[in-house]
Amino acid sequence: MDTENNKVMRAKKSGRFIAYASLFLAMMYGTYIFVVLDKSVITDLLTSHQIDATKNAVGNFLNSYRLTGIMYLLAYLCGLIAIWNQHPYLWWFLFAVYISQTFFTAVNAGPILQSIVHVKSFYMTLPLWITLAGSLILALYMLIISIKRKSTFNR
């Protein structure tokens, strides 16, 4: 039988795991958004789809993609709150972030990965692959914990 102390310890451990995993994913996604994804990749992406890669088009694409990326970075960094506070609302917010990041990235991944490989190298796609896989794994972890324990943060 689970004692209250065991539940608290499990909640703290899963909170720390989610927090540090979120920080790692934020670093990987930040690398992807600000280092890997640049004007040369966007230009290649647009021209490979027969779209005029004007300076304005490239800038608009890059700005809108980075703005969305910054929102995900901030959402990932909210995961650090789980070190101190394991609130159920935080659990479900982070679950939604991980799921939506996985779907958002999967929708756009093919053409962007091709352009990154074409302009830079295969190794430059690793931050995106790590973010995609990490978000999916964390979302599945959280879903399994929620079903198994019928609660959040492994209580």
Side-chain angles (χ1 to χ4, degrees), residues 1-85:
M1 180 138 268
D2 283 338
T3 65
E4 192 62 35
N5 193 29
N6 284 345
K7 290 180 182 181
V8 170
M9 290 305 295
R10 278 197 317 257
K12 287 190 181 295
K13 284 181 182 178
S14 64
R16 281 191 214 113
F17 171 70
I18 289 170
Y20 296 130
S22 291
L23 179 64
F24 176 72
L25 290 176
M27 291 187 306
M28 287 291 103
Y29 199 63
T31 302
Y32 164 68
I33 288 294
F34 296 112
V35 176
V36 176
L37 202 63
D38 60 6
K39 290 182 180 182
S40 62
V41 173
I42 301 303
T43 301
D44 185 73
L45 175 69
L46 293 175
T47 55
S48 68
H49 288 86
Q50 291 78 36
I51 300 171
D52 288 335
T54 63
K55 185 178 180 181
N56 213 13
V58 171
N60 285 340
F61 189 95
L62 193 58
N63 285 342
S64 65
Y65 207 84
R66 282 187 177 164
L67 179 64
T68 305
I70 289 169
M71 295 300 162
Y72 277 108
L73 283 175
L74 293 174
Y76 278 136
L77 291 176
C78 285
L80 290 175
I81 297 170
I83 293 173
W84 303 282
N85 186 359

Side-chain angles (χ1 to χ4, degrees), residues 25 76 98 101-103 105-106 109 113 127-137:
L25 290 176
Y76 278 136
Y98 300 142
Q101 173 66 20
T102 301
F103 289 135
T105 304
L113 288 171
L128 182 60
W129 282 114
I130 291 169
T131 303
L132 181 63
S135 292
L136 183 61
I137 289 168

